[in-house]
Amino acid sequence: DTGVSQNPRHKITKRGQNVTFRCDPISEHNRLYWYRQTLGQGPEFLTYFQNEAQLEKSRLLSDRFSAERPKGSFSTLEIQRTEQGDSAMYLCASSLVAGGTETQYFGPGTRLLVL
Amino acid sequence: AQSVTQLGSHVSVSEGALVLLRCNYSSSVPPYLFWYVQYPNQGLQLLLKYTSAATLVKGINGFEAEFKKSETSFHLTKPSAHMSDAAEYFCAVIVPNFGNEKLTFGTGTRLTIIP
């Protein structure tokens, strides 16, 4: 069990550019979540997948954001036409739903800075 | 909708002293409650969770929390603080609804340990 990994760990981009983040969950975990954490705040839910299906998106997720989990394994989060307000830590978590309460395991996050 | 309130954005304790981090929740149905710890520039690590079994929950690193329904509280404690406990702590709630078990986080408490 190698844990949840995220790449890149840091990303600096200019306003208007597109960025893509990758999350590799714990193998065999069927749920994958994306959260966003801004400075001084707790993480906020963005979206989640059950296997390859994206089942819910937060109102925080504007049309510029898109997430995929094409084969039910890794996931990508893309932000188009980045804005300075997108600067945040993007956290990925995975869990195994198998009866009872799932426990979400978090990756180290990708810190995005939009200049 | 569920919510979590963490009283005290910053808490300082002396090394060896009692640690008490406060968390109150709001939920229309019996919730599941979690405490996560976050070290600088890292993701979140699960300390402990309450899932309607024993009300006193023991976690890693000597932490424990007690679920008190009458007070809608889930405070985190540790009898003797260690320098390595310095970090940000987040209380979170899940409202089980057989669907999206997204975590709703509080705003966090930064714990400082005084040598």
Side-chain angles (χ1 to χ4, degrees):
Chain A
D1 186 348
T2 57
V4 179
S5 62
Q6 293 186 246
N7 288 288
R9 292 292 309 277
H10 303 273
K11 180 70 177 179
I12 300 174
T13 191
K14 294 182 179 179
R15 189 177 53 183
Q17 297 296 304
N18 298 345
V19 295
T20 300
F21 310 141
R22 177 178 169 125
C23 171
D24 287 89
I26 294 171
S27 60
E28 299 180 357
H29 275 194
N30 50 9
R31 279 198 181 171
L32 188 148
Y33 294 79
W34 285 99
Y35 293 84
R36 181 170 67 187
Q37 184 180 20
T38 54
L39 206 60
Q41 300 296 317
E44 295 176 293
F45 167 79
L46 292 178
T47 188
Y48 92 105
F49 293 83
Q50 172 98 8
N51 299 312
E52 67 275 9
Q54 186 174 19
L55 297 186
E56 185 173 336
K57 294 191 291 186
S58 162
R59 289 170 296 175
L60 294 175
L61 215 64
S62 77
D63 292 343
R64 297 184 297 104
F65 287 70
S66 63
E68 295 182 340
R69 194 184 184 197
K71 297 183 179 180
S73 57
F74 73 92
S75 175
T76 58
L77 178 67
E78 180 182 16
I79 309 175
Q80 296 182 327
R81 305 180 304 282
T82 53
E83 302 173 356
Q84 288 185 326
D86 297 331
S87 296
M89 173 82 90
Y90 290 85
L91 294 163
C92 174
S94 71
S95 67
L96 177 63
V97 178
T101 305
E102 61 184 273
T103 296
Q104 294 181 31
Y105 296 89
F106 283 80
T110 294
R111 185 172 294 281
L112 173 66
L113 177 60
V114 182
L115 302 176
Chain B
Q2 68 274 18
S3 66
V4 168
T5 301
Q6 291 185 242
L7 297 176
S9 58
H10 291 85
V11 171
S12 296
V13 301
S14 298
E15 189 176 13
L18 171 72
V19 175
L20 171 60
L21 305 182
R22 299 178 185 274
C23 172
N24 288 87
Y25 69 90
S26 172
S27 174
S28 57
V29 300
Y32 298 149
L33 293 159
F34 303 78
W35 276 99
Y36 282 86
V37 61
Q38 186 176 36
Y39 297 99
N41 297 314
Q42 295 187 25
L44 284 75
Q45 180 183 8
L46 180 68
L47 278 177
L48 49 79
K49 64 180 181 182
Y50 165 77
T51 58
S52 73
T55 56
L56 181 63
V57 182
K58 295 187 182 300
I60 62 171
N61 302 337
F63 285 94
E64 63 181 37
E66 185 172 9
F67 173 71
K68 293 187 177 180
K69 183 179 178 181
S70 61
E71 299 177 6
T72 61
S73 69
F74 190 58
H75 301 331
L76 182 71
T77 61
K78 181 174 180 177
S80 176
H82 191 273
M83 295 300 295
S84 61
D85 295 327
E88 186 108 29
Y89 291 80
F90 293 95
C91 182
V93 62
I94 284 177
V95 175
N97 63 1
F98 305 104
N100 177 5
E101 294 202 341
K102 63 183 178 185
L103 289 160
T104 299
F105 287 88
T107 53
T109 297
R110 183 170 299 279
L111 177 64
T112 300
I113 309 299
I114 303 167

